[in-house]
Amino acid sequence: MSLLFKIGFLEISIVNIIDITLVSMLLYQVYKLLRGSVAIKIFLGFLSIYLIYLMVSAARMELLSIILGQFMGVGVIAAIIIFAPEIRKFLLIIGKSSFLSNENILQELLFWRKRETQVFNINPIIDASKSLSGTNMGALMVISRNSELKFYAESGDLMDAIVSKRLLISIFNKYSPLHDGAVIIYNGKVKAARCILPVTERDVPAQFGLRHRAAIGMSEATDTLVLIVSEETGQISLAKNGKILHNLSFQEVREFINDYLTGVDIDDKFEPITAYQRDRLKTS
């Protein structure tokens, strides 16, 4: 252990600096995950009690240390129960960013197969979006590049049908029993319809309805591109990585989908949700 400097009885080494830096980064990520929800107050309460426990332990207050120690032991189990949704979301974020999230990773490692980008004809998606937008018929399409999203597909009706304009229009027809929910599109096929998507827990502008909230939530939990057709205005939006682009032209939609399917990084082109709040305040 290489000693950097000494402050009184404290010896600071490179390992200590790395340890403190990593813990700070972890706490910041936890704060970002919980920010804006009631859970942040509970987290700060647990953190305060833990800091008090460390101080009374250092001061050798045995009785208070025993009481707080017992509370902290039970508090860990209580925290897991209370923060179950946040823990699940945190693990989803880690899994989404990990290279092991690719379903074909074992085949690629074992057989040294070069990963092929799944590109298919997106004209049926664009043509269906034009028809749905022109008639103000709401739609929600999840386009996946790396995964069949079996967990979300099984929440709806499995189809495994080739993507076509007529199929998408018939699914989102307001009189169709499949229109209420999302379709999942993977490798040129509609894997499932009437799928239930996770709704974002963040504050979103009032102009975004339940479809937009579900699209943002799905883009937060998975590495997908989600297309939304507004039932009120007929406008087209795209959601990616918890961000959204609103009121797009069909040419822009085509370019974004093509870039996404070919592996081009498009995350920087999307705007955070807070940008719409600022724009609204400027125009009001």
Side-chain angles (χ1 to χ4, degrees):
M1 183 183 296
S2 55
L3 184 65
L4 287 180
F5 54 88
K6 188 175 182 180
I7 304 176
F9 62 91
L10 293 177
E11 296 181 350
I12 308 298
S13 66
I14 296 177
V15 175
N16 298 137
I17 298 297
I18 296 174
D19 188 23
I20 294 172
T21 302
L22 292 177
V23 171
S24 301
M25 291 172 60
L26 178 62
L27 290 176
Y28 177 68
Q29 292 300 324
V30 172
Y31 171 74
K32 283 178 61 179
L33 185 67
L34 302 179
R35 183 175 55 189
S37 64
V38 180
I40 186 63
K41 297 181 180 179
I42 302 175
F43 172 73
L44 293 176
F46 274 113
L47 188 60
S48 301
I49 294 175
Y50 181 65
L51 292 176
I52 294 173
Y53 169 70
L54 292 178
M55 288 189 291
V56 297
S57 297
R60 296 184 179 180
M61 299 180 181
E62 296 183 2
L63 183 59
L64 194 55
S65 297
I66 293 173
I67 295 174
L68 291 179
Q70 293 294 328
F71 178 81
M72 293 305 301
V74 179
V76 172
I77 300 175
I80 294 174
I81 298 173
I82 294 172
F83 296 118
E86 285 75 17
I87 293 173
R88 180 176 179 273
K89 185 177 179 182
F90 180 69
L91 294 176
L92 281 171
I93 293 173
I94 294 176
K96 182 179 69 172
S97 60
S98 173
F99 77 99
L100 292 175
S101 61
N102 185 5
E103 291 183 350
N104 299 321
I105 189 66
L106 291 178
Q107 293 181 354
E108 294 177 8
L109 291 176
L110 293 177
F111 302 104
W112 297 91
R113 297 169 64 182
K114 184 179 179 181
R115 180 178 172 183
E116 297 179 358
T117 306
Q118 300 292 341
V119 181
F120 56 89
N121 183 18
I122 65 170
N123 286 331
I125 299 176
I126 304 300
D127 294 340
S129 299
K130 289 180 181 178
S131 298
L132 294 169
S133 175
T135 56
N136 280 28
M137 199 175 296
L140 190 56
M141 308 180 200
V142 179
I143 303 170
S144 177
R145 181 181 61 201
N146 299 322
S147 170
E148 295 183 14
L149 302 174
K150 293 181 180 179
F151 175 79
Y152 298 101
E154 290 174 355
S155 68
D157 296 326
L158 299 177
M159 299 183 68
D160 199 31
I162 297 175
V163 176
S164 68
K165 174 184 175 182
R166 292 180 180 178
L167 175 62
L168 293 174
I169 293 176
S170 63
I171 289 175
F172 290 111
N173 186 297
K174 62 180 67 177
Y175 300 108
S176 169
L178 298 176
H179 82 281
D180 189 14
V183 299
I184 293 177
I185 300 173
Y186 172 71
N187 198 19
K189 290 186 177 181
V190 176
K191 305 303 292 186
R194 203 175 62 84
C195 300
I196 300 172
L197 304 185
V199 179
T200 182
E201 298 179 0
R202 295 155 56 194
D203 292 331
V204 299
Q207 70 189 81
F208 295 147
L210 185 58
R211 281 191 182 89
H212 293 81
R213 293 172 183 266
I216 296 169
M218 186 65 174
S219 68
E220 289 174 339
T222 61
D223 183 24
T224 56
L225 184 67
V226 189
L227 187 150
I228 315 105
V229 180
S230 174
E231 187 174 353
E232 290 76 16
T233 63
Q235 294 177 344
I236 308 293
S237 303
L238 288 173
K240 178 78 167 62
N241 198 27
K243 300 178 181 179
I244 195 166
L245 283 177
H246 193 50
N247 194 19
L248 296 171
S249 67
F250 295 108
Q251 181 59 33
E252 289 174 323
V253 173
R254 181 186 298 275
E255 292 175 358
F256 276 113
I257 295 177
N258 276 326
D259 287 345
Y260 168 73
L261 292 176
T262 53
V264 177
D265 187 7
I266 59 175
D267 289 353
D268 294 338
K269 299 180 182 179
F270 283 74
E271 299 177 352
I273 305 301
T274 52
Y276 295 92
Q277 294 282 28
R278 293 195 298 267
D279 294 340
R280 188 176 180 183
L281 290 173
K282 289 179 182 178
T283 56
S284 61

